[in-house]
Amino acid sequence: MSLFDTRPKVAVHVAQTGEQYPCASNESLLTGMLRLGRKGIPVGCVNGGCGVCKVRILDGDIKALGPISRAHVTVDEETQGYTLACRVAPTTPVHLEVAGKLNKPFSKGRAESATASPSPQQQ
């Protein structure tokens, strides 16, 4: 990629953060964000294997850049607008919300031990 990227761009807006960035129609929503050093969409493996960048397209049109793993986006979810940001490119301005696993739960045992009141020996 040259210093002056002259590819036509469309606007991508991330609902939760208010972040907006230009994305080329031949690059993934995630790559466009990363290219500009922006934040908003969680980043994982960047090739569709982990599902971390799962988003829901609220408005706008996208095109597939590759297959989307059914382990991360079911057919039913896809009909509701869910997809992986690393596997689709915008064809029109896009408004999306992050739907991926932003808050992975801690191990139940660790969470309980971290929040438990002190034992009688510690008091």
Side-chain angles (χ1 to χ4, degrees), residues 11 23-24 40 42 45 80 87 89 106 113:
C23 187
C45 69
Q80 296 173 43
R87 304 302 280 169
F106 290 101
S113 66

Side-chain angles (χ1 to χ4, degrees), residues 12-15 29 41 55-58 94-98:
V12 177
H13 181 264
V14 181
L29 295 171
I41 302 170
V55 296
R56 182 174 181 209
I57 305 300
L58 302 173
V94 169
H95 189 104
L96 62 84
E97 67 181 5
V98 174

Side-chain angles (χ1 to χ4, degrees), residues 15-91:
Q16 288 98 326
T17 64
E19 187 78 31
Q20 185 168 318
Y21 61 93
C23 187
S25 60
N26 65 347
E27 71 181 341
S28 75
L29 295 171
L30 191 62
T31 301
M33 183 193 75
L34 292 172
R35 177 177 46 80
L36 295 171
R38 300 292 176 92
K39 296 180 180 176
I41 302 170
V43 181
C45 69
V46 194
N47 67 7
C50 69
V52 169
C53 65
K54 188 174 184 178
V55 296
R56 182 174 181 209
I57 305 300
L58 302 173
D59 190 38
D61 297 314
I62 56 171
K63 66 180 178 183
L65 296 175
I68 295 173
S69 170
R70 292 294 172 217
H72 302 300
V73 180
T74 66
V75 172
D76 186 46
E77 286 176 322
E78 192 170 20
T79 62
Q80 296 173 43
Y82 290 93
T83 190
L84 299 179
C86 67
R87 304 302 280 169
V88 297
T91 58

